[in-house]
Amino acid sequence: MKFEKIAAPKGVREYLPPESQAFEWVRQQLISPAKRAGYQLMELPVFEDTSLFNRGVGESTDVVTKEMYTFEDRGGRSITLRPEGTAGVMRAVIEGNLDRGQLPVKVWYSGQFFRAERPQAGRYRQFYQVGIEAIGIDDPALDAEVIAIADQGFKNLGLKNYRLEITSLGDAQSRAAHRVDLMKFVSKLDLDEATRTRSEINPLRIFDDKRPEIKEAMQSAPILMDYLSDYSRDHFEKVKSYLDALGVSYTVNKRMVRGLDYYTGTTFEFVHDDLGAQSGIGGGGRYDGLMEVLGGQALSGIGFGLGVDRALLAAIAENTLPVQDFNSDLFIIPLSLDEKAYVLNLAQEVRRAGFAVEVAFGDRSLKGAMKGADKSGARFVAVIGESERESGDVELKRMSDGTSIRVKISELQKVLEA
Ligand code: HAM
C-alpha cells in the first residue's frame, strides 16, 4: 500500500532549515531592544475564550467578523486561536494581578498568531509576531520609548527602506466630538447595510474601507486629528518632541486607522517600501480603555506587534541577512567505530567551551563524511583516528582556504577562538 503525502494547511508560513536560522536571527534582533529595556517574557496560550477577542479587539473589525479561527472545544466552549497578542496579555495581567504591583507592567511575547485572511506574499493564516506591552502608566515619554524600541529592532536588522507613521486617535472626549460630525457625514453616503452597521460600532472603520468609491467619498470626511481635546493634543505634541529628541524620524498620517478597535491616543505603523501590498512590518499604539473593558482596573496601556515574517522578507529585500553567522565552528569525523565514543565526548567538551560542534554519523567513507562537513559550512574539520587518539594531536582543516594545521586536541579551543 502506498500512502499519500499530506500538505501543510493553506496559507501557513513555516520555516525549515536553512531559512529557519535567518528567521530566528530576525526574531532575536527584533525583540532584543525590548529585553534590554526591562521588558519581561510572557508565555501565553495560543487559544483563548472567544469573548476575549470579541470584546477586546472589537466587533467592527475584519479580524473579529471575518478572520478568526473559532471552534467549539470538547466541553462545548467557544475557543478562538489568538489573532493578536494584546487582548491575551491584558487578560493575563488582570488574572495574574500584575497590575496590583509595580507599574508600568512591562512584558514581551513572541509566537504564532492566526487570521483567516486571503493568503498572499507576506500575508499568512499563521504568522509570527514579537511584541511588547507597557501597562498602567500614561506618560508620553513611555509612548516615545515604546516606538523607539520597535525602531531599534528594525535598525538591528540593518533595514533602511522603512518609514514610521504616527497619529493620535485621541481620548474619549476627542472621539465623541469627532463622532458626531463623522456620523453626520457618513449618514449622507450611500452605504450598504454591513458597512453602515460597522460604522455604527466604530465610525473610524470607514476610513479603512478599500473600495475606491468609498475612499473617494471619505476624502472630505472630518478627520479625528482636528477634534483632539487639549489633553490629547498636548500628549501627542510631547510624544513627537520626545521622538525628535531620540532621533526617531516619523511622518504624521492623519488618516491612519488601525485594524483593531482598542486604540486610543498615540498610534503608529512601520511601513516597508520594498514589500508590495503587505507593507506593514509592525504597528501598535495606546489602548487606554482596554483593561476596563476586559473587567480590570481603568489603567492605560501601550505596545506594539512586529511581523517577524515580513521583517524577514524586508531583510531579504534589502540584503541585510548575515551570511556566515549560522554555521558551526567545528565538524569532527571519527575514522572508525572505535573513535565514536571518543569523538562524541570531545564534541561535548568543545561545545561546553561555547563552540558549535557537529559530528559525522553513519558509517560513510571518509570522502562521504568530508562532503557532509563541507555542506555543513563548518569553519574547521578534524578527522580523528587511532593515531590522533594516541598522539593527542589532530590535523585541523580550515575550510575557508583548505589549509591544515596540526594542533593538540587539548588546545583545540584556542584555535577555534582565534
Ligand atoms: P497588527 O497591526 O494587527 O497589530 O499586527 C502587527 C504586525 O503583524 C503587522 O504590522 C504585520 O507585520 C504582522 N501581521 C499581521 N497580520 C499578518 C498576516 N496575516 N501575515 C503576516 N503578518 C501579519 C497587532 O496585532 C497588535 N496586537 C499590535 C499591538 C500590540 N498594539 C498594541 N500592542
Side-chain angles (χ1 to χ4, degrees):
M1 170 154 175
K2 188 156 170 18
F3 292 104
E4 298 236 338
K5 289 182 190 161
I6 299 169
K10 187 176 170 195
V12 303
R13 188 67 175 91
E14 54 192 0
Y15 295 93
L16 315 181
E19 190 191 23
S20 52
Q21 292 176 313
F23 172 80
E24 189 51 20
W25 180 79
V26 168
R27 174 154 64 180
Q28 293 308 329
Q29 297 303 316
L30 284 176
I31 200 60
S32 65
K35 294 188 199 169
R36 274 184 231 122
Y39 286 76
Q40 292 189 304
L41 175 65
M42 214 179 224
E43 278 292 356
L44 294 176
V46 297
F47 59 87
E48 296 270 4
D49 192 302
T50 301
S51 58
L52 174 66
F53 303 115
N54 289 344
R55 240 199 284 163
V57 173
E59 309 265 11
S60 82
T61 62
D62 277 356
V63 169
V64 166
T65 55
K66 302 183 196 156
E67 297 169 0
M68 293 207 301
Y69 282 98
T70 297
F71 59 95
E72 198 173 281
D73 75 1
R74 287 169 195 273
R77 289 167 287 255
S78 180
I79 294 292
T80 294
L81 299 185
R82 61 182 182 188
E84 64 93 49
T86 311
V89 167
M90 210 44 127
R91 195 259 317 131
V93 166
I94 297 168
E95 210 172 343
N97 292 318
L98 298 190
D99 55 320
R100 309 282 169 186
Q102 173 76 14
L103 298 178
V105 176
K106 297 198 298 185
V107 296
W108 69 270
Y109 52 89
S110 166
Q112 285 98 330
F113 296 87
F114 307 85
R115 295 181 193 176
E117 297 192 79
R118 196 197 301 260
Q120 65 176 86
R123 188 167 71 193
Y124 313 111
R125 292 184 169 175
Q126 173 177 281
F127 59 97
Y128 295 81
Q129 277 186 12
V130 295
I132 71 171
E133 313 293 348
I135 298 156
I137 298 280
D138 182 8
D139 177 349
L142 177 60
D143 300 32
E145 186 178 79
V146 163
I147 293 172
I149 287 170
D151 187 54
Q152 186 60 50
F154 294 126
K155 288 206 173 101
N156 282 355
L157 299 181
L159 299 184
K160 293 206 165 65
N161 302 344
Y162 70 92
R163 293 169 277 124
L164 164 64
E165 297 188 350
I166 61 171
T167 196
S168 172
L169 296 179
D171 54 10
Q173 190 192 335
S174 323
R175 291 228 247 193
H178 176 241
R179 187 186 167 98
V180 174
D181 284 1
L182 183 60
M183 288 310 269
K184 249 187 246 161
F185 178 88
V186 168
S187 69
K188 291 187 205 125
L189 300 180
D190 181 22
L191 296 176
D192 56 274
E193 199 47 42
T195 311
R196 195 160 293 287
T197 310
R198 273 152 68 91
S199 78
E200 271 153 25
I201 305 174
N202 180 359
L204 292 178
R205 275 283 144 255
I206 313 190
F207 284 102
D208 217 11
D209 204 299
K210 302 284 178 297
R211 286 169 291 186
E213 64 280 10
I214 296 186
K215 271 192 155 171
E216 171 72 35
M218 290 306 285
Q219 283 302 319
S220 48
I223 297 287
L224 179 51
M225 280 279 252
D226 299 331
Y227 291 77
L228 292 187
S229 64
D230 290 343
Y231 176 81
S232 290
R233 188 180 313 279
D234 179 56
H235 195 285
F236 191 53
E237 287 308 315
K238 287 186 176 133
V239 173
K240 287 194 291 182
S241 70
Y242 287 127
L243 286 175
D244 293 337
L246 283 165
V248 174
S249 40
Y250 57 84
T251 53
V252 175
N253 176 355
K254 288 187 172 193
R255 292 178 162 267
M256 185 200 304
V257 186
R258 305 255 306 128
L260 313 163
D261 272 353
Y262 49 61
Y263 289 113
T264 58
T266 314
T267 309
F268 54 93
E269 235 161 42
F270 289 87
V271 182
H272 197 276
D273 292 325
D274 305 343
L275 295 186
Q278 302 308 318
S279 57
I281 51 175
R286 282 210 156 267
Y287 40 84
D288 289 347
L290 181 60
M291 184 177 261
E292 198 173 10
V293 166
L294 294 178
Q297 310 184 65
L299 290 183
S300 63
I302 180 163
F304 62 65
L306 311 183
V308 185
D309 314 86
R310 290 186 194 170
L312 172 60
L313 290 174
I316 292 169
E318 290 200 45
N319 203 12
T320 62
L321 291 175
V323 189
Q324 297 288 326
D325 271 359
F326 307 133
N327 299 327
S328 47
D329 300 297
L330 175 64
F331 193 100
I332 317 178
I333 302 172
L335 254 191
S336 77
L337 270 181
D338 299 338
E339 280 79 43
K340 281 213 171 163
Y342 178 84
V343 162
L344 287 176
N345 251 315
L346 179 61
Q348 286 292 68
E349 203 178 298
V350 184
R351 285 173 192 143
R352 277 194 289 271
F355 297 100
V357 184
E358 290 187 76
V359 171
F361 291 105
D363 297 318
R364 285 193 292 179
S365 65
L366 182 58
K367 207 171 144 204
M370 279 310 280
K371 255 195 203 153
D374 208 21
K375 278 205 183 128
S376 81
R379 282 164 53 217
F380 289 97
V381 176
V383 180
I384 305 248
E386 201 186 334
S387 65
E388 279 77 17
R389 258 197 307 152
E390 271 166 17
S391 68
D393 280 357
V394 66
E395 191 93 352
L396 209 52
K397 184 171 170 193
R398 189 196 305 274
M399 296 306 273
S400 58
D401 56 12
T403 57
S404 289
I405 30 170
R406 210 156 176 90
V407 294
K408 290 219 165 314
I409 291 178
S410 55
E411 285 173 3
L412 258 179
Q413 294 168 13
K414 268 194 210 142
V415 181
L416 295 179
E417 254 155 33

